Amino acid sequence: MSQLGAILKEARTSAGLSLAGMAKRTGYSRSHIGNIENGVRQATPDVIRKYEEALGDSLKRRSLLLGSLGILAAGSEDDTATAIAHEITNGRSGLLTELQTSHATDKAIAAIVSQDAASLAALKKWSHRGKAVLRVNSAGILAKTRSPLAGTEAVSVLRADGDVRELYATAVLSRVLALPWEDAAQSTTSGMLSDVQVARMAEELANPYDAGARWCATLALYRSRDSDPEAVSGALLSALRVETAAENLRAIGSALAGIDPLKI
């Protein structure tokens, strides 16, 4: 059981709530809540907020608001980014190991560390080792530095590491398509998107701040190419003209050729 999962479980049980009761209050399924509390799944910032809303004063806020868990769970985006960036520049990964950070937080961290060679080297190392949440957080920050080299490094991790790919793609689909986390996770493997969703993912191909999101969008569009072939091809061709990360160029070219980007 992870430290965060144990804290959430203790807060729930001390409030006299069953898993079913917490599921009803948060909107997440009983199995999803149970897996988070037992450390099978990573808690997202949205889960933390839902626990806080459901439990109010019953939640042991001191445990969540102090230390690394508190910074990630309850701090503002700017406070979170500043705290994590400070840790990264000092060679410490602790704040990246418990909770998957948000797109906005990663962008803010990347803006702080993007010119620091030692920080980028540390993130590159962490993206290949340790817990999956550390790897995905590290890759996520690299992907948002707006450096073609760092972006390519991050996408290489997504291609090679299935656990990181699942977490990253779920976050992208949840954000871009406004899906609950569980639905987004299912969409990473189910393939076909609706016409509206295809249009939104096509827009994400032009996101200048996130090379990883552009790669995930390419993969999602490739898998949905039969739903609207003309729209998918047009979006990929437009992206090909402006993409800077080498791995993304390979993925886009592969998708246009009808080849799974994961198989190149």
Side-chain angles (χ1 to χ4, degrees):
M1 183 182 296
S2 70
Q3 182 183 357
L4 180 53
I7 290 171
L8 294 176
K9 183 175 183 178
E10 183 180 357
R12 174 181 61 76
T13 56
S14 67
L17 274 177
S18 65
L19 278 174
M22 180 56 72
K24 184 176 181 179
R25 292 193 181 196
T26 61
Y28 286 92
S29 70
R30 177 179 174 178
S31 61
H32 189 80
I33 293 295
N35 284 337
I36 287 172
E37 292 186 356
N38 292 323
V40 176
R41 281 182 172 273
Q42 296 293 335
T44 63
D46 184 62
V47 169
I48 301 297
R49 295 185 189 101
K50 291 292 178 62
Y51 264 74
E52 290 187 315
E53 292 169 2
L55 299 175
D57 291 338
S58 296
L59 182 63
K60 296 199 172 180
R61 291 179 183 274
R62 183 173 178 80
S63 295
L64 287 173
L65 297 178
L66 294 179
S68 63
L69 299 182
I71 292 170
L72 288 173
S76 69
E77 297 287 4
D78 288 343
D79 289 343
T80 300
T82 300
I84 296 176
H86 177 75
E87 292 292 282
I88 293 171
T89 57
N90 284 282
R92 296 190 290 265
S93 63
L95 296 184
L96 297 173
T97 60
E98 280 291 340
L99 191 67
Q100 187 170 350
T101 48
S102 70
H103 177 77
T105 297
D106 284 349
K107 278 178 59 180
I109 296 169
I112 297 171
V113 305
S114 61
Q115 301 303 313
D116 182 52
S119 293
L120 296 178
L123 289 166
K124 180 179 178 180
K125 178 180 69 176
W126 298 335
S127 70
H128 292 278
R129 59 193 292 183
K131 296 169 61 175
V133 71
L134 171 62
R135 304 197 306 273
V136 73
N137 285 339
S138 300
I141 297 167
L142 287 172
K144 298 173 185 67
T145 60
R146 306 191 73 172
S147 160
L149 289 177
T152 288
E153 176 63 33
V155 173
S156 296
V157 173
L158 295 181
R159 288 185 65 243
D161 189 327
D163 290 336
V164 169
R165 181 168 61 250
E166 180 180 357
L167 288 171
Y168 207 112
T170 299
V172 170
L173 291 173
S174 178
R175 172 176 58 83
V176 176
L177 303 182
L179 294 174
W181 188 265
E182 288 184 284
D183 293 344
Q186 292 178 356
S187 295
T188 63
T189 56
S190 62
M192 199 66 67
L193 302 176
S194 69
D195 290 348
V196 172
Q197 290 174 328
V198 165
R200 289 179 180 174
M201 295 310 296
E203 291 177 359
E204 191 65 15
L205 286 175
N207 181 351
Y209 297 101
D210 193 341
R214 298 197 301 272
W215 184 85
C216 290
T218 299
L219 183 61
L221 289 172
Y222 165 78
R223 290 173 172 173
S224 297
R225 62 196 182 281
D226 293 336
S227 65
D228 193 341
E230 185 175 347
V232 169
S233 295
L236 291 171
L237 283 170
S238 295
L240 194 63
R241 300 186 185 102
V242 297
E243 181 58 57
T244 57
E247 282 292 342
N248 278 345
L249 287 169
R250 278 164 43 88
I252 294 168
S254 171
L256 283 168
I259 301 170
D260 188 340
L262 285 174
K263 296 182 178 179
I264 57 173

